[in-house]
Amino acid sequence: MRRIRYENIGGPETLFQEEVPVPDPGAGELLVRTEAIGVTLPVVRKVREGTQPIPLGGELAGEVVRVGQGVSGYAPGDRVTGLCFGYGYAEYALLHTAMASPVPAGATAKDAVALVRSGVVALGALEAARPEKGESVLVTAAASGVGHLALQLARLRGASRVVAAVSDPAKADFVRSVGADAVVTYEQEGWGEPVDIVLDAVGGELLTPAVKALAPGGRLVAYSSGGGTIEAYDLLAGGKSAIGFQVAIVARTRPERYAGWIEELWRLFGEGALRPTVHAEFALADAARAHATIEGRANRGKVVLVP
């Protein structure tokens, strides 16, 4: 089978394709013939900024080919989606049942990759802020795979005003089309009227203006892999809070909540209330172009590899 790997830390140019044997599923694992693979900012960052090469994992969807020892609830022929912690940029990948979920009839593999993992992050980050109906929400990286779903979910959960923060004014029309009432860019002085909640997927230097954008008593939820520092006084002065969110922790410690989020996402999708967008599809061999799209902040929605 074909898979994508890298041996040196660097940019998209370090990715290469190789031929390797199809893996065998271990205990609790599914061997999935991939039909769609999501490209995420955390994986892109690990290729460029990591300390050593790692397997390119992440979101995928496809058909179960074989099941490992002790697997129940899944069988060959089932359509599934989930998070792969091993080699996911491949024609066949191993998916642990704890991170897998069925793809309902009528949904495509690309729908699943654009909706489930990104949607769980967006929904989980929103819930971490403990939103109340009528509060205002600002989303950074609002045109991203997670961000464009967070805008929609904030509205569906009763937000009175939804603000999209983006890197490029050219993304304004897109984020407005998925529910933003207002659009701000990172470099502008101040981000308009203060908000009750900021969902931040960028981190780094953007944390300072994100905290400033909060109204007194506001909450910042950080779910970025970009790091960064928040001054304690900036929180203290306005009675503000900073909350860290990582979906993998919820999946491990609260599997029933994780499953409930996925169920809600598919329900909203089926009702037509939640609309995941695929920005671009790339062949597996073009993984470098997919990474370059993410690095260049060019995407409006999800970037997907199709083996």
Side-chain angles (χ1 to χ4, degrees):
M1 70 170 191
R2 296 174 299 134
R3 78 175 180 191
I4 304 298
R5 194 164 65 86
Y6 69 111
E7 294 180 341
N8 300 296
I9 300 301
E13 72 283 354
T14 64
L15 303 182
F16 63 90
Q17 181 174 280
E18 63 180 359
E19 289 283 343
V20 296
V22 175
D24 293 318
E29 291 183 328
L30 309 173
L31 176 63
V32 178
R33 182 169 58 245
T34 58
E35 298 172 8
I37 302 158
V39 180
T40 65
L41 179 59
V43 172
V44 171
R45 279 177 167 164
K46 286 175 182 176
V47 173
R48 182 173 287 281
E49 303 170 5
T51 57
Q52 60 184 5
I54 61 169
L56 293 167
E59 311 146 329
L60 59 84
E63 181 181 341
V64 176
V65 177
R66 294 201 304 272
V67 302
Q69 183 179 4
V71 169
S72 61
Y74 294 98
D78 289 347
R79 300 172 66 243
V80 298
T81 187
L83 184 65
C84 171
F85 291 105
Y87 289 99
Y89 284 26
E91 292 181 291
Y92 293 85
L94 297 176
L95 188 62
H96 198 282
T97 55
M99 301 305 296
S101 62
V103 176
T108 69
K110 285 177 283 189
D111 290 333
V113 163
L115 176 73
V116 176
R117 183 64 178 179
S118 294
V120 165
V121 173
L123 185 54
L126 183 61
E127 286 202 357
R130 302 182 185 275
E132 297 182 8
K133 189 173 182 179
E135 289 190 314
S136 53
V137 179
L138 182 146
V139 179
T140 67
S144 68
V146 174
H148 86 289
L149 295 178
L151 294 173
Q152 298 174 62
L153 289 164
R155 177 72 71 205
L156 291 168
R157 286 295 186 92
S160 60
R161 183 167 62 96
V162 181
V163 181
V166 295
S167 60
D168 187 343
K171 297 179 179 180
D173 287 345
F174 171 70
V175 293
R176 287 186 185 277
S177 75
V178 292
D181 297 305
V183 183
V184 299
T185 56
Y186 301 151
E187 71 274 7
Q188 73 182 62
E189 186 67 29
W191 287 354
E193 183 181 344
V195 296
D196 299 297
I197 295 168
V198 171
L199 305 181
D200 178 55
V202 180
E205 295 180 356
L206 211 65
L207 286 174
T208 297
V211 171
K212 288 182 179 179
L214 289 171
R219 289 91 71 200
L220 167 73
V221 178
Y223 59 98
S224 164
S225 60
T229 302
I230 296 174
E231 292 290 338
Y233 181 79
D234 292 341
L235 300 178
L236 177 64
K240 303 172 184 180
S241 302
I243 304 158
F245 174 76
Q246 187 181 76
V247 72
I249 294 175
V250 179
R252 287 197 306 266
T253 62
R254 300 290 299 276
E256 71 290 343
R257 175 174 291 184
Y258 182 79
W261 287 342
I262 294 175
E263 182 179 350
E264 181 176 351
L265 292 168
W266 280 123
R267 176 181 61 79
L268 293 170
F269 175 81
E271 294 171 354
L274 188 59
R275 299 176 290 123
T277 297
V278 173
H279 170 80
E281 301 173 24
F282 294 93
L284 184 63
D286 289 332
R289 289 178 58 205
H291 275 224
T293 299
I294 298 289
E295 283 198 339
R297 298 180 177 180
N299 59 303
R300 293 158 174 78
K302 196 71 178 176
V303 174
V304 176
L305 298 176
V306 180

